[in-house]
Amino acid sequence: MSTSTYTLVVDQGPLAGRRFPVSSAGLKLGRSSQCDIAISDLLLSRSHCRFELRGEELWVIDLASANQTLVNGTAVNEQRLQYNDVVSVGESSLRVARTEEAASTDGTAASAAAAADVVIDLGFGKDEDATAGAHKPILRPILWSLAALLVLVTGATLILAPSNAARSKNVARPQTIEADKSPVVYYEKIEASTDGIFRYEMTISPGGVLAVKIDDLSAKDRHVRKEKAVDPALLGDLSRDIESSGFFALDKSYVGFAAKPNTLNEWTLTCVIGKKAHTCQISNRLEPENFRTLREKLETFSKNELGIWAIQFSADKLTALARDTLSVATKKYDERDVKYGNLFDAIRAYQEAVFYLDTVNPKPDFYASIIDGFEAAQSELENRYKEQRFRANRAMNLSDWANAARELHILCEMIPERSDSRNKEATRQLVDVESRLKKSHR
């Protein structure tokens, strides 16, 4: 049995010849190494655009990029794609192609599809007797089985490795035992009610691969998958943090009562370091301090490594954050004449709102307002910057150092980000102008 899928074929650009199948998790394209399609091209934004499946349809969404996303030569904010459409970004062109592949030969795709389609029953029913029968919850036993299996496999590996090495004199022993100290981690967070389930899972495998999975089973069905091989040095630091956290001294379970009926807030954490292994589960109660500190450290670690500071929140939470940030951006834009830096701050706020909605699909009705506001603020800042740049250059050409200093100060206020090349240029010139101004006053 085969299924028709979309594949992006790079016909032009640094990755010419490469092919990228589009899975249910979608693909993000940009200059950042964290993107699924990472292209070293200065014309691209760090996160330039995103390809995603909406049912049987493939869509491309521009992520408020500086140089736009073109479909068949036309700039778009969001566009449904057809086969043979050409998406142009920077120096690259990607063609939408049809791919026929056997589902039975793609174990990874089958596993991902199964994970995305699974229906999780928490047993929230009006009839408790019926619930206890055919509707028993299946999520928790499976997860606990996986965690136990992970611990057993790791322990067996540690026990058997020396024996296998001793049987063969031709196999060199490791020069250090640091590899035995690499952490194996399973962390899961569940927020559930009769309205839906939000599940966040983070794992670090024995091979040092960090993976995050998110399943948001609600009105805004969302599934996210990210993974990355982690630097062994960072894993060593993480192991030391885990060992010093007091986690291994915690009880196995802390159970409380739900604040609202038919709700579940649960954290499960399993850590294996060397021969030490421990699992702790917190259900419907406040976390012990040692657990909370380690959990937050692990979440921060995964977000820094994968560049995913938003996806651990539900779609409703991200939508609310985006709406609040849009209000800030709109206010800053409306007050652009009050303070020179307000336009720049508005642009940053619009970008933040886009960031929150990156994994939310379909996009909320105010998403178009975010994009329109961003483009308007960016265009106006560019025009104002050029006019101010002209004033500063004119004053410097006339050796009017006092006026040049004032104009350059305004430029620095307009672009307050010191890492921005425009701020760096204005600051460099301001230092020179102020030096000349001091000399003229002697």
Side-chain angles (χ1 to χ4, degrees):
M1 178 179 179
S2 64
T3 57
S4 176
T5 62
Y6 293 92
T7 294
L8 302 175
V9 181
V10 184
D11 289 334
Q12 180 179 333
L15 300 184
R18 294 281 302 276
R19 302 169 65 88
F20 298 90
V22 184
S23 68
S24 59
L27 295 172
K28 183 188 290 185
L29 180 152
R31 196 174 73 250
S32 170
S33 60
Q34 301 297 331
C35 291
D36 303 296
I37 307 177
I39 305 177
S40 181
D41 182 351
L42 293 179
L43 296 177
L44 296 180
S45 299
R46 288 182 58 79
S47 294
H48 195 97
C49 66
R50 177 178 175 79
F51 298 89
E52 65 184 33
L53 292 173
R54 299 179 183 176
E56 299 295 325
E57 300 175 353
L58 176 63
W59 286 70
V60 61
I61 300 93
D62 184 80
L63 302 178
S65 64
N67 292 315
Q68 299 184 317
T69 299
L70 307 180
V71 176
N72 300 327
T74 302
V76 300
N77 292 327
E78 188 176 82
Q79 177 70 43
R80 178 187 175 187
L81 298 175
Q82 307 286 347
Y83 292 115
N84 296 319
D85 279 351
V86 175
V87 180
S88 301
V89 289
E91 298 179 347
S92 300
S93 294
L94 299 89
R95 176 169 44 85
V96 181
R98 185 193 302 270
T99 302
E100 296 291 337
E101 58 186 25
S104 61
T105 63
D106 190 350
T108 301
S111 299
D117 293 337
V118 65
V119 177
I120 303 173
D121 183 2
L122 289 178
F124 296 141
K126 297 181 179 179
D127 187 344
E128 294 183 357
D129 294 334
T131 300
H135 300 287
K136 291 183 179 179
I138 64 171
L139 174 63
R140 197 176 304 166
I142 293 175
L143 297 176
W144 276 99
S145 298
L146 289 175
L149 180 60
L150 178 63
V151 174
L152 290 174
V153 171
T154 304
T157 301
L158 294 171
I159 294 171
L160 295 177
S163 301
N164 291 336
R167 291 171 190 161
S168 177
K169 296 182 180 180
N170 294 327
V171 178
R173 289 179 176 273
Q175 296 301 310
T176 68
I177 62 171
E178 193 63 31
D180 294 339
K181 287 290 188 178
S182 295
V184 176
V185 175
Y186 173 86
Y187 165 58
E188 178 197 53
K189 173 170 65 177
I190 295 177
E191 299 172 359
S193 69
T194 53
D195 295 326
I197 304 171
F198 173 75
R199 178 175 177 271
Y200 172 88
E201 177 191 293
M202 168 196 165
T203 60
I204 299 178
S205 71
V209 175
L210 168 67
V212 167
K213 299 178 181 179
I214 291 179
D215 295 294
D216 188 3
L217 308 179
S218 60
K220 298 176 180 178
D221 197 43
R222 184 173 57 131
H223 305 280
V224 179
R225 304 289 186 267
K226 294 281 187 179
E227 67 175 41
K228 174 188 176 184
V230 182
D231 185 337
L234 293 176
L235 291 176
D237 293 339
L238 185 60
S239 287
R240 286 185 282 275
D241 289 339
I242 293 174
E243 289 190 289
S244 63
S245 68
F247 171 75
F248 290 103
L250 292 173
D251 293 340
K252 293 183 178 180
S253 178
Y254 298 83
V255 180
F257 296 96
K260 296 180 180 180
N262 288 336
T263 61
L264 175 67
N265 289 280
E266 186 171 271
W267 301 269
T268 303
L269 177 57
T270 298
C271 294
V272 181
I273 299 178
K275 295 182 179 180
K276 297 167 63 176
H278 186 57
T279 295
C280 181
Q281 184 181 67
I282 317 295
S283 182
N284 283 339
R285 64 162 287 174
L286 292 176
E287 310 157 83
E289 182 66 21
N290 291 347
F291 186 95
R292 183 188 63 79
T293 300
L294 179 57
R295 172 184 66 78
E296 291 177 349
K297 187 181 294 291
L298 290 171
E299 288 180 356
T300 299
F301 181 85
S302 66
K303 287 181 282 190
N304 284 340
E305 282 297 296
L306 299 176
I308 47 173
W309 277 90
I311 65 171
Q312 79 273 21
F313 297 115
S314 67
D316 289 338
K317 175 66 173 178
L318 291 173
T319 300
L321 289 170
R323 190 186 299 276
D324 291 343
T325 307
L326 173 59
S327 297
V328 173
T330 302
K331 186 175 186 297
K332 289 288 185 180
Y333 182 78
D334 291 342
E335 297 176 353
R336 58 192 179 278
D337 294 325
V338 175
K339 184 180 177 182
Y340 290 116
N342 278 355
L343 264 177
F344 188 89
D345 291 341
I347 291 172
R348 293 287 293 271
Y350 283 123
Q351 290 174 322
E352 183 179 348
V354 170
F355 164 77
Y356 286 135
L357 297 175
D358 181 28
T359 61
V360 175
N361 291 302
K363 297 292 187 286
D365 54 4
F366 61 87
Y367 185 74
S369 298
I370 297 175
I371 300 303
D372 291 343
F374 171 81
E375 292 177 347
Q378 189 176 49
S379 176
E380 186 161 349
L381 179 61
E382 183 63 24
N383 291 333
R384 291 193 180 196
Y385 172 80
K386 289 179 180 178
E387 292 174 4
Q388 190 61 34
R389 178 82 265 172
F390 173 78
R391 294 191 188 99
N393 288 341
R394 180 178 59 188
M396 287 186 287
N397 288 337
L398 296 174
S399 298
D400 184 357
W401 306 123
N403 190 39
R406 283 193 296 271
E407 303 296 353
L408 289 169
H409 271 295
I410 293 175
L411 272 177
C412 291
E413 291 180 34
M414 289 177 64
I415 314 292
E417 180 59 57
R418 293 186 178 183
S419 62
D420 192 295
S421 60
R422 296 169 294 182
N423 180 284
K424 289 180 178 180
E425 180 184 15
T427 300
R428 184 172 58 251
Q429 290 180 325
L430 181 58
V431 170
D432 179 72
V433 166
E434 289 181 337
S435 174
R436 294 173 183 273
L437 188 58
K438 289 180 181 179
K439 290 180 181 179
S440 67
H441 288 164
R442 291 177 182 174

